[in-house]
Each structure stands twice: as C-alpha cells, then as structure tokens.
Amino acid sequence: MNNISLIGRLTREPEMRKTGEGLSICTFTLAIDDTHSREDRADFIRVTCFGSQGDNCEKYLRKGFLAGVSGRLRSDQYTDADGNKRYPVDVVADRVMFLQWPEKEKESVETETETETETEIETETAETA
C-alpha cells in the first residue's frame, strides 16, 4: 500500500510544463506544519499532478493557498554536480482539493449567490402579493 494525504500551503506558484505528446505536468511544493514538534517546524513536500488536474492546479492555486492532496509517494535517485547521490521523494497526486480560492473567483461566487437570493425574494414577494 502506498497512500498519502496532506494539507498544506503552497510555497511558490505552481510550475507547468508539457510533454512532447502534450500531457500537462504541474509541480508545486506544500509546506506542512509539524504539529508534533515542540519547535515551529514545517516539512516541504513536492507534489506532481498530470493532465487536466495539472491544468486546474495551475489555473486556481497560488502561492500561500491552502490545498489538500492525496496520492502516492515516489522516490527517485540522481547524482548532483558534486558527485553526491540524492534520493528525493515527492507525491504523485491522485486528487487535489482546493481549500482556498482566488479572491476574484470568491467574489464572483458570492455575487452569483446574492443575485440568486434576491431573485428568490422577489419571486416570493410577487407570489404573496
């Protein structure tokens, strides 16, 4: 079993690239507070998502936004410029939850809700008159 679920804040803007076949690949890093530590400490986890999920992450996520991710761990191996072997671990996301929205999106959703409520009130008033 290889499952992981995380909630954290983006440390930078998501980065998007495309493969030669046109598949979208989006990467970002989540800062996750270590609530079990006596010190102020955070873990920084790199997240990768593919396809339309990657497109949506690039479109809606911003630095500092709160996001939830569930997926699987993937490890890699490479040798850096100094000849040291490195073993990075990142998360390949199966699901990304947008727990915070851009203010512009939030305002348009609130405006739509207010308009619907006003219409409902106007309809109820007309029916009772």
Side-chain angles (χ1 to χ4, degrees):
M1 181 182 315
N2 182 359
N3 295 317
I4 187 165
S5 295
L6 305 166
I7 294 178
R9 294 197 177 274
L10 273 73
T11 61
R12 58 191 164 95
E13 297 294 320
E15 294 177 11
M16 177 65 84
R17 65 183 191 278
K18 298 243 184 206
T19 64
E21 294 81 34
L23 177 67
S24 299
I25 302 172
C26 183
T27 57
F28 55 90
T29 301
L30 285 181
I32 299 150
D33 292 330
D34 184 351
T35 56
H36 298 292
S37 175
R38 291 186 177 136
E39 309 168 1
D40 272 345
R41 184 180 175 313
D43 293 311
F44 298 92
I45 309 294
R46 183 178 160 148
V47 178
T48 304
C49 38
F50 299 93
S52 60
Q53 180 171 254
D55 294 332
N56 287 332
C57 287
E58 181 197 29
K59 184 176 179 181
Y60 294 112
L61 291 178
R62 298 287 173 265
K63 178 180 178 178
F65 278 23
L66 190 64
V69 173
S70 60
R72 66 187 190 288
L73 289 177
R74 178 182 65 188
S75 62
D76 201 0
Q77 175 185 339
Y78 69 92
T79 304
D80 66 13
D82 297 327
N84 300 313
K85 287 196 176 194
R86 300 289 179 182
Y87 302 91
V89 175
D90 60 344
V91 173
V92 176
D94 295 325
R95 183 173 180 208
V96 176
M97 291 146 281
F98 306 131
L99 303 176
Q100 187 172 359
W101 291 91
E103 288 301 315
K104 187 175 183 180
E105 286 288 322
K106 188 176 179 182
E107 288 173 10
S108 69
V109 170
E110 289 174 358
T111 303
E112 289 173 16
T113 305
E114 289 171 8
T115 304
E116 289 172 8
T117 305
E118 290 171 6
T119 304
E120 290 172 7
I121 292 170
E122 289 171 4
T123 304
E124 289 175 8
T125 306
E127 290 174 357
T128 56

